[in-house]
Amino acid sequence: MALKGFDHLVVRVKDIEAGIATYRDGLGLELERTDESEALGIKQAFFQLPGGGFIEIVAPTDPDSAVGRALEKRGEGIHTVAMEVDDLEGTVSAMRDAGMQLIGEGGPQVFVHPKSTHGILLQLTPRS
Amino acid sequence: MALKGFDHLVVRVKDIEAGIATYRDGLGLELERTDESEALGIKQAFFQLPGGGFIEIVAPTDPDSAVGRALEKRGEGIHTVAMEVDDLEGTVSAMRDAGMQLIGEGGPQVFVHPKSTHGILLQLTPRS
């Protein structure tokens, strides 16, 4: 079991166009692509980092989506820290045994609850 | 000018021993060292990631320290995202020209203000 390193950050923003302007023009990152998920109620923009990994910004299209509710409650800022793992199943199993509260076990996206990490929604991303 | 990739995360916790227990025993990270800064009013613990980069947890020893005040105001969670840059001076200059609000320019630690990044205190870390 091990977290290998950082994979990506997800940043919650109010407005996707304003977010793109900041991350592309202000911070100088390369906008790789934009997307929209009706299921999740969000617009997304992805910025690839030259050294590996990426930053994703998300803005709600539905105020009742998870991102919309988090924005309402906590404002703009980091939504998720995604870390790369070698062995997802083994890592999840070891964390569960250690008493960590997991979200989405068995599904495509597994997270450690912020209550278990001192305030970070930690996504476990299998090495691609 | 460019942000190259993730260097480290700083996580704000109430109690350094509880934080160490979580990150070492719960998440399975390797505790590399602990430290204390009287100047900053914090205790620190550093966890090296096998794939590169690290996670630092910080707990205030002084409630009036920057970390102590942030903990009081916003609770536990991410304090800083540190990203690696190739050319600190050029990056700072380009970001300033793009209207980003910088903190600590010319000093050993340069940050982009959360107001300029949609809620992230972004540290610019020269490639070591």
Side-chain angles (χ1 to χ4, degrees):
Chain A
M1 138 183 180
L3 301 174
K4 303 297 286 183
F6 302 112
D7 187 76
H8 66 278
L9 281 185
V10 181
V11 182
R12 205 169 48 232
V13 302
K14 281 181 207 160
D15 179 272
I16 199 76
E17 292 305 329
I20 289 172
T22 296
Y23 281 79
R24 183 189 56 201
D25 308 331
L27 297 181
L29 293 175
E30 189 189 341
L31 176 62
E32 196 190 12
R33 66 185 178 88
T34 59
D35 208 342
E36 181 164 355
S37 166
E38 279 201 35
L40 296 174
I42 55 173
K43 287 187 175 181
Q44 300 155 286
F46 297 86
F47 300 86
Q48 196 64 44
L49 299 170
F54 63 94
I55 292 178
E56 174 187 348
I57 62 173
V58 294
T61 51
D62 174 0
D64 286 331
S65 62
V67 170
R69 289 195 308 268
L71 188 66
E72 175 68 27
K73 194 172 170 188
R74 303 201 301 278
E76 296 190 318
I78 290 180
H79 191 65
T80 313
V81 173
M83 298 193 67
E84 195 179 50
V85 298
D86 260 345
D87 168 15
L88 181 62
E89 221 169 288
T91 302
V92 163
S93 168
M95 288 185 179
R96 194 196 314 117
D97 290 350
M100 298 283 102
Q101 186 179 334
L102 296 157
I103 301 169
E105 251 186 283
Q109 293 198 326
V110 186
F111 300 88
V112 188
H113 195 285
K115 285 180 185 169
S116 287
T117 61
H118 301 267
I120 301 175
L121 179 60
L122 186 69
Q123 184 179 349
L124 306 176
T125 305
R127 185 184 286 266
S128 53
Chain B
M1 137 185 183
L3 301 174
K4 303 297 286 183
F6 301 113
D7 187 75
H8 66 277
L9 281 186
V10 182
V11 182
R12 206 167 49 232
V13 302
K14 281 182 207 160
D15 179 90
I16 200 75
E17 292 305 327
I20 289 172
T22 297
Y23 280 79
R24 182 189 55 201
D25 308 331
L27 296 181
L29 293 175
E30 188 189 342
L31 175 63
E32 195 189 12
R33 66 185 178 88
T34 59
D35 209 341
E36 181 164 355
S37 166
E38 280 202 35
L40 296 175
I42 55 173
K43 287 187 175 179
Q44 300 155 284
F46 297 86
F47 300 86
Q48 195 65 43
L49 299 170
F54 63 93
I55 293 179
E56 174 187 349
I57 64 173
V58 294
T61 52
D62 174 359
D64 286 331
S65 62
V67 170
R69 289 195 308 268
L71 187 66
E72 176 69 26
K73 195 172 168 187
R74 303 201 303 277
E76 296 190 318
I78 290 182
H79 191 65
T80 313
V81 173
M83 298 193 68
E84 194 180 51
V85 297
D86 260 346
D87 168 15
L88 181 61
E89 220 169 290
T91 302
V92 163
S93 168
M95 287 185 180
R96 194 196 315 115
D97 290 350
M100 298 283 102
Q101 187 180 334
L102 296 156
I103 302 169
E105 251 186 283
Q109 293 198 325
V110 186
F111 299 87
V112 188
H113 195 285
K115 285 180 185 171
S116 287
T117 60
H118 300 268
I120 301 175
L121 178 59
L122 187 68
Q123 185 178 349
L124 307 176
T125 305
R127 185 185 285 267
S128 53

